[in-house]
């Protein structure tokens, strides 16, 4: 019994030592490299897409730029790595990218099983359906027996099966891995409907010259909180990514924009003074400069500016992504 107890104690000690092993210092790596490496979508209008000059633009891109501004003082010091649905998590786990901001849904399985942590939610989404207007389908409940284009290995595929099962409906999946191929299959008529996050469907429609030929059905069948993902254990970097988003939310709450930020320099509001780094020592507590939020707001803007620049043009209303003071879900804890 004494030997068994000794072995058990030694096992616990070894486990404790294993858990106490220091994780990679992503912040130090980024500073030494002089660049943040961010994994984004391959081609998602409004979220991450290269323009005619090859410069990436979008809401997810701005989230990456905010982190670069906070750490390096320059929102332009980012290398964007387009990642597919199949390789996005591997790219983050292996260290190929420092940060993943790629229309990726926060779920228990992804945090508990993949060694990853979601630091923020920059877009509250939900899964929807798109059909051709010529089909005369106006509700997802009319899709009984339909063929539906869907990507494999995603929450989208699981939600689709759950929805049809719960409503006693049948469907035939058309499973294609590459997003461009699945969109082409839908356009060519290989499937009756295409399902994905509503934001992805809107992005797809915005990129079509005949976008008016397609209809997004009214049903939203899931909760899809999309945001920034980091490796578990590197909590200082996690804090920076999380609070970079909260800084943009807080700036919007306080009416601070990239255009008027200088006029707030001497504003007596304590919340303003803490956000701008003029009181408190919150930046240094995270290993960066105290004016980290100023750099984000000046170079990237507040959350409303990022939304107007990227999401409004593709026709998605702010809705539940509005500030909590306006009936939405975007809510930042206090900087204090």
């Amino acid at each position: 019994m004494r030997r068994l107890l000794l072995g058990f104690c030694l096992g616990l000690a070894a486990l404790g030592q294993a858990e106490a092993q220091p994780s990679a210092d992503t912040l130090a790596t980024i500073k030494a490299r002089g660049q943040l490496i961010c994994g984004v979508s391959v081609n998602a209008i409004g979220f991450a897409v290269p323009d005619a000059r090859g410069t990436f633009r979008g809401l997810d891109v701005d989230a990456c730029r905010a982190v670069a501004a906070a750490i390096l003082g320059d929102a332009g010091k980012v290398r964007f790595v387009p990642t597919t649905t199949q390789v996005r998590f591997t790219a983050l786990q292996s260290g190929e990218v420092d940060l993943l901001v790629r229309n990726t849904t926060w779920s228990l399985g992804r945090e508990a099983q993949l060694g990853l942590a979601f630091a923020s939610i920059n877009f509250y989404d939900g899964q929807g359906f798109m059909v051709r207007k010529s089909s005369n389908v106006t509700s997802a409940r009319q899709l009984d027996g339909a063929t539906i284009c869907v990507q494999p290995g995603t929450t989208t595929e699981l939600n689709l099966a759950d929805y049809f099962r719960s409503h006693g409906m049948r469907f035939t999946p058309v499973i294609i891995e590459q997003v461009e191929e699945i969109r082409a299959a839908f356009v060519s008529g290989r499937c009756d409907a295409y399902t994905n996050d509503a934001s992805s469907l809107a992005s797809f429609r915005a990129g079509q010259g005949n976008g008016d030929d397609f209809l997004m059905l009214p049903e939203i069948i899931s909760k899809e909180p999309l945001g920034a993902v980091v490796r578990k254990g590197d909590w200082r970097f996690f804090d920076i990514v999380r609070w970079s988003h909260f800084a943009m939310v807080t700036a919007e709450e306080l009416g601070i924009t990239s255009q008027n930020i200088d006029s707030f320099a001497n504003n007596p509001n304590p919340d303003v003074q803490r956000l701008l780094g003029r009181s408190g020592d919150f930046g240094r507590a995270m290993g960066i400069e105290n004016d980290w939020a100023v750099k984000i707001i000046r170079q990237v803007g507040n959350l409303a500016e990022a939304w107007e620049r990227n999401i409004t043009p593709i026709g998605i209303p702010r809705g539940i992504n509005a500030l909590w003071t306006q009936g939405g879900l975007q809510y930042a804890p206090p900087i204090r």
Side-chain angles (χ1 to χ4, degrees):
M1 177 64 73
R2 187 174 296 174
R3 288 182 179 177
L4 288 174
L5 181 60
L6 177 61
F8 178 70
C9 292
L10 289 173
L12 286 179
L15 178 60
Q17 289 176 354
E19 290 179 346
Q21 292 298 314
S23 58
D25 190 342
T26 306
L27 176 61
T29 300
I30 293 168
K31 286 183 174 180
R33 187 195 300 130
Q35 185 183 55
L36 170 73
I37 303 176
C38 198
V40 295
S41 293
V42 175
N43 182 17
I45 296 173
F47 293 87
V49 65
D51 62 17
R53 296 182 178 181
T55 301
F56 272 87
R57 302 192 184 281
L59 189 70
D60 290 346
V61 169
D62 280 348
C64 299
R65 294 176 64 238
V67 175
I71 295 174
L72 302 170
D74 186 344
K77 291 185 176 180
V78 187
R79 177 161 67 87
F80 295 100
V81 177
T83 59
T84 64
T85 300
Q86 292 72 33
V87 306
R88 54 183 168 171
F89 297 127
T90 303
L92 181 58
Q93 292 165 328
S94 67
E96 180 184 348
V97 300
D98 303 313
L99 172 65
L100 181 70
V101 193
R102 191 205 172 280
N103 302 85
T104 298
T105 299
W106 185 354
S107 71
L108 171 60
R110 288 171 175 176
E111 283 203 328
Q113 298 171 348
L114 300 181
L116 306 177
F118 283 74
S120 64
I121 300 173
N122 70 337
F123 194 98
Y124 289 90
D125 207 352
Q127 185 173 330
F129 296 91
M130 180 175 286
V131 297
R132 287 175 293 279
K133 284 185 179 178
S134 59
S135 69
N136 293 319
V137 171
T138 58
S139 168
R141 298 297 296 273
Q142 296 174 265
L143 293 176
D144 190 15
T147 56
I148 301 180
C149 282
V150 62
Q151 282 185 288
T154 62
T155 56
T156 305
E157 185 180 21
L158 298 176
N159 294 335
L160 175 64
D162 287 349
Y163 178 80
F164 274 75
R165 185 182 302 114
S166 65
H167 287 88
M169 297 163 57
R170 298 172 299 103
F171 74 99
T172 300
V174 176
I175 299 175
I176 303 173
E177 289 192 357
Q178 300 301 322
V179 65
E180 295 302 331
E181 292 180 15
I182 201 167
R183 289 172 172 179
F186 170 62
V187 170
S188 68
R190 281 185 58 191
C191 42
D192 302 311
Y194 170 31
T195 187
N196 207 329
D197 292 347
S199 62
S200 180
L201 297 177
S203 175
F204 158 70
R205 187 172 62 181
Q208 301 298 304
N210 59 339
D212 288 341
D213 291 345
F214 304 106
L215 174 69
M216 289 181 62
L217 301 181
E219 289 85 358
I220 297 296
I221 67 171
S222 71
K223 295 182 293 184
E224 306 292 336
L226 312 180
V229 197
V230 301
R231 292 177 289 274
K232 265 187 181 176
D234 196 349
W235 299 117
R236 184 165 65 165
F237 183 58
F238 174 92
D239 287 344
I240 293 170
V241 174
R242 165 171 280 185
W243 285 94
S244 292
H245 172 71
F246 286 152
M248 296 175 69
V249 175
T250 302
E252 182 181 355
E253 290 180 350
L254 296 171
I256 304 174
T257 72
S258 60
Q259 301 301 310
N260 68 14
I261 187 170
D262 291 336
S263 68
F264 282 82
N266 298 313
N267 189 294
N269 185 333
D271 289 330
V272 171
Q273 292 300 302
R274 287 189 288 265
L275 176 65
L276 302 186
R278 292 176 171 269
S279 66
D281 211 22
F282 302 109
R284 291 195 180 93
M286 295 189 291
I288 54 181
E289 298 298 323
N290 281 336
D291 65 345
W292 59 281
V294 173
K295 294 167 182 173
I296 292 173
I297 299 163
R298 196 185 302 281
Q299 298 177 48
V300 184
N302 65 29
L303 186 60
E305 290 179 279
W307 185 279
E308 289 296 322
R309 183 165 57 240
N310 301 299
I311 304 302
T312 297
I314 64 174
I316 300 178
R318 189 82 185 262
I320 60 173
N321 285 286
L323 294 181
W324 65 283
T325 54
Q326 299 167 3
L329 298 176
Q330 287 293 349
Y331 181 104
I335 298 176
R336 63 175 55 180

